[in-house]
Amino acid sequence: MVTLSIIKADTGGFVGHSAVHPDMLAAGQDALSSAVADGLLLDGKVGHCGDDLSLIMTHEHGADAEEVHSFAWDVFLRTTEIAKGLGLYGAGQDLLSDAFSGNLRGMGPGYAELEFTERPSEPVVCFLADKTEPGAWNLPLYKMFADPFNTAGLVIDAKMHAGFRFEVYDLYEEKRIWFDCPREIYEMLMFIGAPARYVIHSVESKTLHEQAVATSTQRLSLIAGKYVGKDDPVMIVRCQSGLPALGEVLEPFAFAYTAGGCMRGSHHAPMMPVSVNDAHPARFDGPPRVVALGFQVHQGKLIGPRDLFDDPSFDRARAQTNEVMDYLRRHGPFEPHRLPLEDLEYTTMADLEKLLADRWQSMPEAAVPAPR
Ligand code: 13P
Ligand code: 13P
Ligand code: MG
Ligand code: MG
Ligand code: MG
Ligand code: MG
């Protein structure tokens, strides 16, 4: 069994919240190479999207392994020091705890981990996003694994015909449930259509009994109890041979669907699929970006990455993103650009309620609706 882990954190932005400084990327790659040389990891590559640094690692320690999580934590402490030395913005932003204890649960860094027996050919895609929340993966995952208008294999591949099981987390209540699709797609959509609360955590094939997907599902604001930056989630998707083909896995991103995030984590904005070179959200701290790094996992090694959205066939999605961004931006502080009150990451409402408490009056008689 091999485990593919992506562990990520924002440990400082260059400039503002737009990118990771090259010195931090170099330090991350050095640490990964040393961990391979020391035998902790089979392989390790840094990735980045916006101001978030990802450690993409293969190893044999399983998910939630203390040695792998504590290694990642130490790397993030080191890159935080570099960020402090350069005066970068929000140095150590996602490190919410002072000391490491056992694993990264509730500590701030996000992680997606998938343990599997390597197939003769094992194509995987590591998706990294910035300026959005984990529910941003719900719509594309639904399309990849449950929508025959996206994924031809659901109709014409005998190994996919039985469908997939989706594991969905309720992040508010800390509960989870499995949905059996296609039988329960309507039930599941009722929940995953509300992505601020319900988030797809994993997907497995009913025919192969193999896990195909792992996502990071941490909500930083729910951990910290206040806004400390957006979650900027990651996701692993295995492809081909009874799972969606590579092109079926990428296809949902040809549509610029909107997600919560962007400026101050508090706006709906369209997801822009981009090459690694363009993964630097700037306009209104957005639009949210997603990169797709393709690897062939071979004998535990990460052969790649291929920068899969560095492809003119996603140009229209990018153009659509810019159009939708223009349209939404013209709403300024109005919904639906601004998130509804309960989902705002920043708010002055609590202060305003106190400040204005004695200025609110009853409505004049005629304006009060008659009791029913
Ligand atoms: P090949 O016949 O090139 O292997 O392609 C199969 C496939 O998965 C196309 O989606
Ligand atoms: P990050 O989570 O990427 O740091 O974004 C924070 C933010 O508020 C951007 O406006
Ligand atoms: Mg940041
Ligand atoms: Mg970020
Ligand atoms: Mg963030
Ligand atoms: Mg709501």
Side-chain angles (χ1 to χ4, degrees), residues 10 17 51-52 93-94 130-131 220 227-232 262-265 284-285 346:
D10 174 352
H17 292 285
D51 58 2
D52 289 82
Q93 179 176 289
D94 286 355
D130 189 38
K131 303 295 178 273
L220 284 165
Y227 184 59
V228 288
K230 216 59 181 176
D231 317 288
D232 308 331
C262 205
M263 176 56 69
R264 298 172 187 273
F284 203 58
D285 287 6
Y346 275 75

Side-chain angles (χ1 to χ4, degrees), residues 262-278:
C262 205
M263 176 56 69
R264 298 172 187 273
S266 299
H267 294 80
H268 281 296
M271 289 287 282
M272 185 182 245
V274 288
S275 68
V276 172
N277 280 334
D278 287 332

Side-chain angles (χ1 to χ4, degrees), residues 96-362:
L96 303 182
S97 180
D98 291 332
F100 181 84
S101 60
N103 66 46
L104 289 171
R105 188 177 304 273
M107 299 192 68
Y111 47 95
E113 300 186 282
L114 212 166
E115 195 174 358
F116 53 92
T117 302
E118 200 181 286
R119 297 169 294 169
S121 177
E122 188 63 60
V124 302
V125 183
C126 295
F127 289 95
L128 317 177
D130 189 38
K131 303 295 178 273
T132 189
E133 56 193 22
W137 303 132
N138 285 4
L139 184 148
L141 283 173
Y142 176 80
K143 286 191 168 183
M144 286 175 217
F145 290 91
D147 179 3
F149 280 72
N150 180 87
T151 296
L154 294 169
V155 180
I156 64 177
D157 181 344
K159 291 202 289 288
M160 295 177 69
H161 207 76
F164 292 85
R165 277 160 40 90
F166 290 68
E167 184 188 15
V168 175
Y169 280 14
D170 174 347
L171 297 182
Y172 288 8
E173 299 275 330
E174 298 191 323
K175 296 186 298 197
R176 64 173 179 165
I177 186 170
W178 285 91
F179 289 104
D180 185 324
C181 295
R183 189 168 55 84
E184 296 183 309
I185 58 174
Y186 299 156
E187 289 83 348
M188 183 172 78
L189 283 166
M190 191 63 213
F191 295 93
I192 66 170
R197 173 165 182 174
Y198 299 99
V199 174
I200 298 169
H201 182 64
S202 70
V203 181
E204 82 177 28
S205 159
K206 285 164 63 180
T207 304
L208 308 176
H209 305 288
E210 288 272 340
Q211 186 178 344
V213 171
T215 71
S216 65
T217 43
Q218 298 74 20
R219 282 286 310 269
L220 284 165
S221 60
L222 300 178
I223 297 170
K226 60 177 176 22
Y227 184 59
V228 288
K230 216 59 181 176
D231 317 288
D232 308 331
V234 295
M235 156 165 89
I236 301 167
V237 184
R238 299 168 70 199
C239 312
Q240 305 286 156
S241 309
L243 304 177
L246 178 74
E248 291 167 338
V249 167
L250 301 178
E251 179 65 11
F253 297 94
F255 163 54
Y257 68 98
T258 68
C262 205
M263 176 56 69
R264 298 172 187 273
S266 299
H267 294 80
H268 281 296
M271 289 287 282
M272 185 182 245
V274 288
S275 68
V276 172
N277 280 334
D278 287 332
H280 306 303
R283 179 186 181 186
F284 203 58
D285 287 6
R289 306 295 158 109
V290 53
V291 300
L293 305 179
F295 294 96
Q296 292 288 154
V297 180
H298 186 61
Q299 295 173 356
K301 291 286 175 194
L302 291 161
I303 312 302
R306 279 221 53 238
D307 187 358
L308 295 165
F309 289 143
D310 184 9
D311 174 348
S313 65
F314 289 95
D315 284 351
R316 290 243 213 163
R318 293 186 271 263
Q320 188 182 35
T321 308
N322 284 327
E323 247 172 71
V324 174
M325 194 68 183
D326 285 342
Y327 168 81
L328 284 172
R329 280 276 48 238
R330 289 178 70 182
H331 292 76
F334 283 78
E335 297 177 11
H337 187 29
R338 198 181 76 183
L339 294 186
L341 291 176
E342 66 271 23
D343 293 334
L344 279 180
E345 295 280 14
Y346 275 75
T347 183
T348 46
M349 189 58 103
D351 292 342
L352 288 181
E353 270 169 357
K354 265 186 246 147
L355 193 70
L356 303 180
D358 53 5
R359 285 174 47 193
W360 284 97
Q361 307 171 21
S362 307

